[in-house]
Amino acid sequence: MIEMMNLTKRYGNGLTALRNISVQIDQGEFVYLVGPSGAGKSTFSKLIYREEKATSGYIQVGPFNVIKMSNRDVPYLRRHVGVIYQDFKLLPKLTVFENVAYAMEVVGRRPKEIQKRVNEVLDLVNLKHKMRTFPDELSGGEQQRVSIARAIVNTPSVVIADEPTGNLDPETSLEIMRILDTINTQGTTVLMATHNRQIVDTIRHRVIEIENGEIVRDQKEGDYEYVH
């Protein structure tokens, strides 16, 4: 589903963010991406949806050869990859319904289809009753649930969550995790970059640990911190 081989990313300032990464993530897996700040987790995620371009190596996401694809094909890749951001990135002048619907409008879905699907995903994240509310009237947890709904509304095969519980209290974080687990059980691959030790240790999934741009651990149902 996601395959990286000998993947390296160097930035223009000479910084090497990732070095010779090789990893495979199968369809339907839930994977935590852990490691210290600056280890390369964000770069790893951004290469998958071509927010960043690799310097060398190979990356395949579903049917897409991400290294060789042209810029005009990037929007098609991004229909397959939903992204959940730590800071939500909601459009402040649009309601909850409109924020989620917008993701379908930009790919040309029909109004009737949009209405049906947006209602479905708002139901999944338990926000149907807030569909006419604006982002600044929502709590942080509610805004993150809108962000999740927007990320999954086009039924992507992969969801990338960048610190989705980073700004949330423990109870709200668990609620977000329950939603991500539900999405995963429906067959979507979930890759979640996180510093949340409690969640990783409690809700067990595969753990890939990155340090200094290299994978130092890849463990099935791992802890946040590996004890040698």
Side-chain angles (χ1 to χ4, degrees), residues 11-24:
Y11 287 102
N13 61 4
L15 173 75
T16 301
L18 292 175
R19 271 183 205 83
N20 213 27
I21 294 273
S22 292
V23 70
Q24 185 168 321

Side-chain angles (χ1 to χ4, degrees), residues 5 12 14 18 30 46 54 72 74 108 112 131 142 155 167 178 224:
M5 286 179 67
L18 292 175
F30 194 125
K46 287 175 178 175
R72 72 166 183 271
V74 172
K112 197 172 177 182
M131 67 167 64
E142 288 169 336
T155 324
N167 297 323
R178 278 195 289 271
Y224 184 84

Side-chain angles (χ1 to χ4, degrees), residues 189-202:
T189 306
V190 177
L191 177 67
M192 175 174 158
T194 185
H195 286 111
N196 194 319
R197 178 187 302 268
Q198 185 187 1
I199 277 176
V200 175
D201 289 348
T202 307

Side-chain angles (χ1 to χ4, degrees), residues 1-2 4 25-33 41 44-49 61-62 77-86 103 117 121 124-125 144-165 176-194 205-206 208:
M1 181 62 230
I2 299 171
M4 297 179 176
I25 297 169
D26 293 332
Q27 180 62 45
E29 277 200 90
F30 194 125
V31 179
Y32 293 121
L33 200 57
K41 301 190 302 296
F44 185 101
S45 300
K46 287 175 178 175
L47 289 171
I48 292 171
Y49 57 98
V61 178
L77 166 69
R78 291 183 183 165
R79 292 183 198 184
H80 285 259
V81 183
V83 184
I84 301 161
Y85 301 96
Q86 181 178 358
R117 178 64 181 155
V121 293
L124 174 68
V125 300
Q144 189 57 292
R145 279 150 54 196
V146 179
S147 177
I148 292 171
R150 182 186 57 195
I152 64 169
V153 74
N154 284 317
T155 324
S157 50
V158 179
V159 166
I160 292 174
D162 185 15
E163 296 281 358
T165 63
I176 295 301
M177 286 306 300
R178 278 195 289 271
I179 294 168
L180 290 175
D181 262 341
T182 300
I183 293 163
N184 178 241
T185 57
Q186 292 171 354
T188 305
T189 306
V190 177
L191 177 67
M192 175 174 158
T194 185
H205 293 295
R206 179 180 173 186
I208 294 175

